[in-house]
Amino acid sequence: SQTIHQWPATLVQPVGSPLSLECTVEGTSNPNLYWYRQAAGRGLQLLFYSVGIGQISSEVPQNLSASRPQDRQFILSSKKLLLSDSGFYLCAWRGLAGVSYEQYFGPGTRLTVT
Amino acid sequence: LAKTTQPISMDSYEGQEVNITCSHNNIATNDYITWYQQFPSQGPRFIIQGYKTKVTNEVASLFIPADRKSSTLSLPRVSLSDTAVYYCLVVDYKLSFGAGTTVTVRA
């Protein structure tokens, strides 16, 4: 069966510090991978998606970046965090079999920038 | 990407049927309609997907009229545990979530 891992679960970082969040997927090959951010009380904002190794599409201009060094690994990074980067970060994957838009989400990382 | 409009919130009572309507006037021919459920501090969970007419699974039904400019998610006999945010998405290959509808089920 497929599983998706995210770490860390919670993170408190000062403004201006770097960020690295990691997401890995098991039990599937060549998935589409996604990074979302959810601010408190808000909907999910799509940040990045990837259809393959090294292929990253950015949805929103910001100080975040994403990378996909391996088929089932997706990393979200920042060189210098802003207060507005606080939020709940979710990684998700979707398989390519058929015409299903069922996404599977990881447990999320709660980031607080102080 | 087709924009969706759904109510911000809805209240219901246990045992009632809840119907959430989503408008998507600019839906494209290849777009599918998908609904997700989200509980606090968790990622969204897939509920149902459809292209046209009616789709039913063990959790919900999805009604889509012929023009596909709207869709209605129907939750039969809700319980307290159905209190959550429900998102309507119109998707081709990437999924973007709007603000969703907060459904509150009361005893």
Side-chain angles (χ1 to χ4, degrees), chain B residues 23-61:
Chain B
S23 298
H24 26 81
N25 292 319
N26 296 323
I27 190 169
T29 303
N30 295 329
D31 290 342
Y32 276 72
I33 300 156
T34 308
W35 286 79
Y36 281 75
Q37 174 193 56
Q38 186 183 26
F39 298 112
S41 297
Q42 295 184 25
R45 182 178 71 97
F46 174 87
I47 300 175
I48 199 166
Q49 168 183 304
Y51 185 79
K52 61 181 178 181
T53 63
K54 177 183 175 182
V55 179
T56 297
N57 61 22
E58 65 279 4
V59 176
S61 295

Side-chain angles (χ1 to χ4, degrees), chain B:
Chain B
L1 199 65
K3 178 179 171 61
T4 61
T5 303
Q6 54 185 119
I8 294 175
S9 63
M10 297 181 71
D11 288 344
S12 184
Y13 291 92
E14 283 189 295
Q16 289 187 336
E17 179 182 80
V18 172
N19 296 307
I20 310 170
T21 297
C22 178
S23 298
H24 26 81
N25 292 319
N26 296 323
I27 190 169
T29 303
N30 295 329
D31 290 342
Y32 276 72
I33 300 156
T34 308
W35 286 79
Y36 281 75
Q37 174 193 56
Q38 186 183 26
F39 298 112
S41 297
Q42 295 184 25
R45 182 178 71 97
F46 174 87
I47 300 175
I48 199 166
Q49 168 183 304
Y51 185 79
K52 61 181 178 181
T53 63
K54 177 183 175 182
V55 179
T56 297
N57 61 22
E58 65 279 4
V59 176
S61 295
L62 179 60
F63 300 91
I64 305 168
D67 65 6
R68 303 201 327 123
K69 293 183 181 299
S70 67
S71 60
T72 299
L73 176 74
S74 180
L75 306 172
R77 297 179 299 281
V78 295
S79 63
L80 295 176
S81 62
D82 292 317
T83 294
V85 179
Y86 293 82
Y87 297 96
C88 164
L89 288 79
V90 172
V91 298
D92 45 11
Y93 61 94
K94 60 182 180 180
L95 288 77
S96 290
F97 290 73
T101 298
T102 299
V103 173
T104 303
V105 180
R106 306 183 192 280

Side-chain angles (χ1 to χ4, degrees), chain A residues 17-33:
Chain A
S17 64
L19 174 73
S20 180
L21 302 181
E22 188 163 345
C23 170
T24 59
V25 181
E26 297 177 358
T28 187
S29 297
N30 195 28
N32 283 358
L33 296 174

Side-chain angles (χ1 to χ4, degrees), chain A residues 46-69:
Chain A
L46 178 63
L47 301 176
F48 301 95
Y49 70 94
S50 171
V51 299
I53 295 175
Q55 301 179 59
I56 309 294
S57 295
S58 174
E59 290 299 296
V60 184
Q62 58 209 319
N63 68 320
L64 299 171
S65 62
S67 61
R68 186 170 176 173

Side-chain angles (χ1 to χ4, degrees), chain A residues 33-97:
Chain A
L33 296 174
Y34 306 81
W35 277 112
Y36 291 88
R37 176 173 62 201
Q38 187 169 35
R42 306 290 295 275
L44 279 76
Q45 179 185 36
L46 178 63
L47 301 176
F48 301 95
Y49 70 94
S50 171
V51 299
I53 295 175
Q55 301 179 59
I56 309 294
S57 295
S58 174
E59 290 299 296
V60 184
Q62 58 209 319
N63 68 320
L64 299 171
S65 62
S67 61
R68 186 170 176 173
Q70 301 179 43
D71 181 44
R72 287 168 287 180
Q73 183 185 32
F74 205 22
I75 298 172
L76 183 70
S77 304
S78 174
K79 293 181 179 179
K80 289 185 177 182
L81 284 169
L82 306 173
L83 285 174
S84 58
D85 291 324
S86 293
F88 189 43
Y89 287 81
L90 288 158
C91 178
W93 72 272
R94 178 171 76 86
L96 301 181

